[in-house]
C-alpha cells in the first residue's frame, strides 16, 4: 500500500528546518501507527511538488530516516517504511473517566494558593513590558552561548554532561565560582563550601528546609520577595516581618528570639535600597548577639553599573554566620535555572544531601555550558554590555518619570533593573495594572510583596530590563495618564 | 608595562580549542587582576612561538578579545588591555577563619546519613564496570542530540529557552509526551495531568511531599530503590516494607491502613521481576478497597527488547488512583535530569505549586532539546539501537553466569539492563565488592536496597548498560573467582 501524498502537510506555525519537519511528519506517522511497515512513501519528486519544497530537501529527509531505520530503500522503486521501524502501541486508549479518588482527602499537604502572583506568560507581546526578571534577547550574547553549549556537547565534555553526578556538581563550574565569581564579592570559599542550585529560588528553599522548623523564628524584610514567604510558609516556621527603611533591614528591629535573618543588602527586594556599610556591621553584630544566622540574597550585584558594588555582607562575616545566595539567572537568563549557595561546610553538606534527595543535581550540560561561558570571559563582556543598556534606560526612565510627576519610592544606589514606585494613597495598583494591561502596558503591583493582611496597595515595580529604550517614554506616559 | 610572554602557558589537561584556551588565559589574567588596563600583550608572533601554536590562532584569539573589549589595538604597536576591560575586585580576601556558629544547634533538620550508598564518581576508569544507571557513550546518539541542542539554541527557540516559565513547562515537550510517549504505555493524559520533573527522583520526591505526612502510611516494596526510602524518611510518614516475590508486590500483604503504595510493576527495583496482569488487577482492586493511591515508577519500560512491554498499571486505572512516574534519564542519559509525573489534575496542581517553590521549572533548554530529539524520532532510533546492544550483552552475561555457576535471583521478562544476583548465604557482598574493586570490577552490593536492620547481605546487582560486550566474560570470571 502506498501512503498518499495528501497525508503530508506543512502546518503553518511549525518549528525547525523544512527537512526536519518532513522527517518529523514521517516519524510521527510511523510512531502513531498511521504508517505501517512495508508501506510505500510518496516519491521524493511527488512529495516535493506537493509541499512546494525542493526535491533535495525531501531526499535529505528520507536519507536521514533511512539511516535511522525508519525507512528502507528498494533500489529504484523508492522508499518504504522499514521492517525494523518502531511499532506503534498495540493496546487501545482507555476512555475518559471521572476520578473516584477524593482528592480533598488524598492530598496531605497543599502547596497551591501561595503569595506569589501569576505572571503573564506572554509578556513579550506587550508593547510596554515593564516586567522584572526576564531577559532582553537583544542584549544576550546568543552566539557565544551557543558556542559554549556546542563545546559542552563536544566529545571531550560528553561524559561530564551525560553522567549521573549523584550529589556532586560540575567541578569546572564550582572552581570558576570559587576562583573568579566569589572573589569579586570579597568572598573566599573552598569547593566544599559551594553548592550549585536550580537558581536562587532553589538555594533559598534548600536553606529554609535545613535551618528552619516549626519552633524556629525567621525574620524577613517587609516588603520582601513573595516567593520567599511561600518557601518559609512551607517550612512552617514562625515568621517576623520587619519593615525596611531606605537603608534596608534595621537590625534593632529584629526580635530577640530570631534564628535566621533573610536579607537583600545589595538591592533590597523590591524597594532597591542598598544597605550602607555601617548598618551591615550593625546587622552582623546584632546577629552575633542573637546567635542567629543570616541568609544574604545577593541578587543583581552584577548590575552595579553606576559605581562598583560594595563587597557582599558575607565578606565581612568572621563567624561563618552568613549564608550567601548567588544566581546567574538574572544576568544570563532566568530559564537557565542556575544559582549557588555559599556557606560553612557543615551547612552545605546538609543542603547537598537534601538536594540529592529532591533532584540529585542540576543538569550537567547546563553547568558545563555556563562554566565555559564564564571562563572565556563572555559573561563579563555581557555584564558590561547590559550595563551600558541599563544605564541608558535608567536615565530615560528617570527623565520620563520626573516629567510626568510620578514618584520613585526606591532605587538602587549602584544600578539595578527596576524602580520601586509609589502611587497616590488612594490608588490600588492591582486595579491600575489591570487597566494598563488593556493598553499593552505591563507593570507589577506591589501588594504581594508585603506581609500581613493590611498591606499598602499603592506601590508598584517598574523594571527596565526587557523594555526597549524607545518605548519607555510612551509607556511611562500611559501609566501617568492612567493614574490621573 | 608589557605582560611577559612567560606568564602564558598551555597547561596539559585543559579543554577547548587552542584559540579558546588563549582567550581564556588573557581573560582570566584580566579578571584576576594580574593584567592591568593599558598593559601591552605579547605580540601575536611572540606568543605563537612561545606556545608552539600557529600565529593565526593567536591573532584570532586577540581579535575575539578585541571584539569583547578586553583588549584594544593601537595600530601597528600591538594589543593592550583595554581601558574598558573589566576591573578586578578592589577589596582584599578575608583570612581563613574558624566558625563561631554551633552547627549542631543551627541545623534544624539533617538530611545527611540516608540509606543511599555513595557510588564511585570514577566508574568509567574500571575495566569491568557492572554499574547500573549510567550511560554507554558508545550507544548514545551524540550527533543528533547535538543537532537538537543546536536547534533549541537557534533564534526561533531562543525565547523558549531563556524565559522564566514560572510554574509552567515547555508546551512542546508536554505535548509530545501526551501524544506519543504515554500512548505507548496505554495512558491518555491531558497537559494539565502532566508535570515535567528533574528526573524520576524529583517526581517521587514531589509526590511524597504532597501525599504523605506523619499520620499517613506508605507501603514500599522490600527490597526497593534506596533513594525512595530516603525520600519517604524526609516526609516523616509511617513506612510498611512489603516483601516482594517473583511477581513483585503481593497485594494481599498490604496493611489495611495503607494510604499510598509505591510499586515498580514493569521491572521491580532491584529484583527485575515483572508483575503479571492478574496481579496488576488484584493490586488495583486492593487499592480501591483500601481507598489508597498507587505510585507507579515505570522505570526502564523502554528497555523491553525481548518482547513488547505490558501496558502500564496506570492504563488499567479507572479511578484516577494511580500516579505515574516516567523518566528519560535512563534511556537518554542520567545527567539530563528529565522525567515526568502523570496524575489527576488536582494532584498535579499541588505538585506543580511545590515544584515552583522548590526550583520553579526544569531548565528550558533541556526541555526543548529533548522535545526536538523525541519529535524527530531520534529517541526511538536510540532505543532500538540500545535494545540490540543490550540483547547481545544480556546473552553473553547469561552464558558467562551459567558457565561459572553463579545464581541469578531475578531478571526482567521483557529485558532491562541488570540481573539481581544471589551469592551463597555466608557471603557479604559489600565485602565482596570491596575485594573486587581492587581488580577493577565494579558490582553493586544488595544490602542498601533492603528495609529494616536484619537485611540479607548476600545479594548484589550486575548491570550491563555500561560494560563493553568483550569485557563481560572476564568480569564474570573474576566475580566467580572472588566468590570461591
Amino acid at each position: 500500500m502506498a501512503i498518499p501524498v495528501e497525508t503530508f502537510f506543512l502546518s503553518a506555525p511549525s518549528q525547525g528546518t523544512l527537512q526536519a519537519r518532513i522527517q518529523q511528519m514521517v516519524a510521527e506517522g510511523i510512531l502513531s501507527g498511521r504508517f505501517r511497515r512495508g508501506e510505500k512513501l510518496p516519491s521524493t519528486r511527488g512529495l516535493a511538488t506537493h509541499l512546494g519544497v525542493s526535491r533535495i530537501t525531501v531526499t535529505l529527509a528520507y536519507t536521514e530516516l533511512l539511516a535511522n531505520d525508519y525507512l528502507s530503500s528498494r533500489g529504484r522503486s523508492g522508499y518504504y517504511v522499514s521492517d525494523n521501524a518502531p511499532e506503534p502501541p498495540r493496546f487501545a486508549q482507555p476512555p475518559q473517566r471521572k476520578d473516584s479518588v477524593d482528592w480533598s482527602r488524598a492530598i496531605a499537604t497543599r502547596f497551591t494558593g501561595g503569595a506569589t502572583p501569576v505572571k503573564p506568560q506572554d509578556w513579550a507581546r506587550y508593547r510596554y513590558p515593564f516586567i522584572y526578571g526576564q531577559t532582553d534577547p537583544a542584549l544576550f550574547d546568543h552566539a557565544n552561548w551557543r558556542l559554549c553549549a556546542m563545546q559542552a556537547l563536544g566529545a571531550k565534555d560528553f561524559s561530564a554532561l551525560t553522567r549521573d553526578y549523584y550529589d556532586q556538581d560540575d567541578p569546572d563550574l564550582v572552581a570558576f565560582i570559587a576562583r573568579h565569581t566569589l572573589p569579586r564579592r570579597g568572598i573566599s570559599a573552598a569547593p566544599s563550601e559551594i553548592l550549585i542550585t536550580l537558581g536562587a529560588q532553589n538555594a533559598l528553599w534548600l536553606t529554609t528546609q535545613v535551618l528552619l522548623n516549626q519552633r524556629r523564628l525567621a525574620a524577613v524584610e517587609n516588603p520582601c520577595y513573595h516567593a520567599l514567604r511561600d518557601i518559609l510558609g512551607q517550612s512552617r516556621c514562625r515568621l517576623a516581618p520587619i519593615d525596611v527603611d531606605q537603608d534596608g533591614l534595621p537590625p534593632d528591629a529584629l526580635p530577640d528570639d530570631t534564628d535566621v535573618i533573610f536579607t537583600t543588602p545589595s538591592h533590597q527586594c523590591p524597594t532597591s535600597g542598598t544597605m550602607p556599610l555601617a548598618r551591615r556591621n550593625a546587622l552582623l553584630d546584632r546577629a552575633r548577639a542573637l546567635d542567629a544566622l543570616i541568609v544574604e540574597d545577593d541578587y543583581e550585584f552584577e548590575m552595579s553599573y553606576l559605581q562598583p558594588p560594595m563587597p557582599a555582607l558575607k565578606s565581612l562575616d568572621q563567624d561563618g554566620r552568613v549564608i550567601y545566595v548567588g544566581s546567574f539567572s538574572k544576568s544570563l537568563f532566568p530559564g537557565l535555572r542556575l544559582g549557588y549557595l555559599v556557606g560553612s561546610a557543615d551547612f552545605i553538606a546538609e543542603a547537598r544531601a537534601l538536594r540529592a534527595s529532591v533532584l540529585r543535581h542540576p543538569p550537567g550540560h547546563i553547568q558545563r555550558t555556563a562554566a565555559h561561558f564564564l571562563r572565556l570571559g563572555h559573561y563579563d563582556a555581557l555584564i558590561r554590555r547590559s550595563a551600558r543598556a541599563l544605564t541608558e534606560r535608567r536615565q530615560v526612565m528617570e527623565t520620563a518619570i520626573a516629567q510626568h510627576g510620578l514618584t520613585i519610592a526606591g532605587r538602587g544606589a549602584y544600578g539595578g533593573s527596576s524602580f520601586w514606585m509609589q502611587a497616590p494613597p488612594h490608588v490600588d495598583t492591582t486595579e491600575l495594572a489591570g487597566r494598563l494591561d488593556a493598553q499593552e502596558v505591563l507593570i507589577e503591583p506591589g501588594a504581594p510583596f508585603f506581609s500581613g493582611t493590611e498591606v499598602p496597595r499603592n506601590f508598584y515595580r517598574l523594571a527596565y530590563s526587557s523594555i526597549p529604550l524607545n518605548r519607555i517614554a510612551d509607556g511611562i506616559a500611559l501609566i501617568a495618564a492612567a493614574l490621573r
Side-chain angles (χ1 to χ4, degrees), chain A:
Chain A
M1 207 202 96
I3 298 165
V5 75
E6 290 76 15
T7 60
F8 293 87
F9 48 90
L10 291 169
S11 54
S14 187
Q15 283 173 325
T17 62
L18 285 171
Q19 184 197 326
R21 286 159 71 184
I22 292 167
Q23 277 174 246
Q24 185 185 330
M25 281 190 290
V26 176
E28 286 191 352
I30 293 171
L31 294 174
S32 67
R34 285 193 298 124
F35 309 161
R36 305 289 170 85
R37 292 179 176 183
E39 290 183 341
K40 190 174 190 304
L41 272 284
S43 69
T44 51
R45 185 190 300 272
L47 186 54
T49 309
H50 171 69
L51 296 175
V53 304
S54 81
R55 191 174 167 190
I56 183 74
T57 304
V58 178
T59 305
L60 287 170
Y62 278 13
T63 307
E64 187 70 34
L65 288 159
L66 210 59
N68 280 330
D69 223 347
Y70 278 87
L71 301 184
S72 61
S73 125
R74 299 188 193 156
R76 286 174 178 257
S77 91
Y79 294 88
Y80 295 80
V81 178
S82 162
D83 287 342
N84 299 315
E87 288 264 84
R90 287 193 210 139
F91 30 87
Q93 305 277 326
Q96 282 298 320
R97 36 112 204 106
K98 210 187 154 312
D99 280 6
S100 62
V101 171
D102 175 5
W103 287 103
S104 67
R105 198 207 70 86
I107 288 165
T109 311
R110 292 211 171 262
F111 297 95
T112 50
T116 303
V118 175
K119 296 195 186 183
Q121 288 282 325
D122 59 346
W123 64 266
R125 73 152 185 82
Y126 284 75
R127 192 161 168 80
Y128 309 102
F130 291 103
I131 192 168
Y132 181 83
Q134 294 281 2
T135 317
D136 186 342
L139 292 179
F140 188 68
D141 187 355
H142 190 183
N144 276 317
W145 181 262
R146 206 170 139 107
L147 285 173
C148 290
M150 284 309 285
Q151 194 183 338
L153 286 165
K156 277 193 186 168
D157 283 359
F158 188 73
S159 76
L161 103 91
T162 55
R163 71 181 187 157
D164 192 336
Y165 273 111
Y166 309 114
D167 64 348
Q168 298 299 305
D169 289 311
D170 185 340
D172 283 12
L173 181 58
V174 173
F176 190 92
I177 290 172
R179 281 170 48 217
H180 295 283
T181 310
L182 294 176
R184 308 186 135 216
R185 307 298 296 127
I187 300 168
S188 84
S192 64
E193 298 173 316
I194 299 171
L195 182 73
I196 307 295
T197 62
L198 265 278
Q201 171 114 9
N202 185 228
L204 289 168
W205 184 86
L206 292 168
T207 302
T208 301
Q209 295 289 314
V210 171
L211 297 182
L212 291 164
N213 58 24
Q214 285 154 283
R215 290 176 302 285
R216 300 205 174 181
L217 180 69
V220 292
E221 297 170 339
N222 189 34
C224 78
Y225 177 43
H226 29 66
L228 175 61
R229 269 184 295 123
D230 284 348
I231 287 171
L232 288 166
Q234 285 171 24
S235 81
R236 301 200 186 113
C237 67
R238 294 179 295 131
L239 209 59
I242 312 290
D243 291 347
V244 301
D245 58 27
Q246 295 291 336
D247 292 340
L249 184 71
D252 295 342
L254 290 165
D256 288 343
D257 54 346
T258 303
D259 292 296
V260 185
I261 303 156
F262 289 83
T263 183
T264 48
S266 293
H267 280 82
Q268 203 279 328
C269 174
T271 67
S272 290
T274 301
M275 192 182 287
L277 187 61
R279 183 172 284 191
R280 292 176 187 229
N281 283 318
L283 179 60
L284 285 167
D285 289 346
R286 176 84 176 130
R288 196 175 301 114
L290 298 170
D291 196 16
L293 300 175
I294 299 174
V295 180
E296 174 185 24
D297 183 356
D298 195 29
Y299 83 107
E300 279 199 346
F301 81 80
E302 68 285 358
M303 293 188 190
S304 302
Y305 43 82
L306 299 176
Q307 33 174 311
M310 208 181 284
L313 186 65
K314 174 75 181 156
S315 74
L316 306 170
D317 169 31
Q318 297 300 310
D319 301 346
R321 192 171 297 290
V322 179
I323 289 159
Y324 177 89
V325 174
S327 172
F328 296 116
S329 294
K330 291 276 182 304
S331 41
L332 289 170
F333 47 83
L336 183 64
R337 312 303 317 135
L338 212 53
Y340 45 96
L341 259 181
V342 182
S344 294
D346 287 341
F347 164 76
I348 292 292
E350 298 302 329
R352 183 184 301 282
L354 174 58
R355 192 198 66 179
S357 258
V358 173
L359 58 86
R360 289 217 184 162
H361 58 78
H365 177 227
I366 299 284
Q367 294 197 47
R368 184 54 57 94
T369 302
H372 288 321
F373 196 81
L374 290 162
R375 199 159 53 170
L376 292 172
H378 300 312
Y379 177 74
D380 290 272
L382 170 66
I383 294 302
R384 281 176 296 137
R385 196 164 40 247
S386 302
R388 281 193 291 272
L390 290 174
T391 306
E392 278 187 314
R393 289 184 197 170
R394 179 169 158 129
Q395 218 148 40
V396 174
M397 289 282 288
E398 281 186 319
T399 306
I401 287 168
Q403 205 170 10
H404 290 283
L406 303 184
T407 309
I408 295 176
R411 74 188 94 192
Y414 300 92
S417 64
S418 65
F419 292 105
W420 182 240
M421 304 292 296
Q422 184 165 18
H426 64 276
V427 175
D428 181 332
T429 54
T430 306
E431 188 267 336
L432 175 72
R435 275 190 292 132
L436 283 167
D437 191 282
Q439 294 174 278
E440 296 195 55
V441 183
L442 191 57
I443 69 165
E444 188 172 9
F449 291 98
F450 288 94
S451 298
T453 45
E454 286 292 307
V455 306
R457 310 202 61 87
N458 61 324
F459 287 92
Y460 60 109
R461 183 158 71 169
L462 287 185
Y464 44 94
S465 46
S466 292
I467 189 167
L469 190 66
N470 59 10
R471 301 243 175 107
I472 290 175
D474 289 351
I476 298 292
L478 285 166
I479 296 169
L483 275 169
R484 274 191 302 269

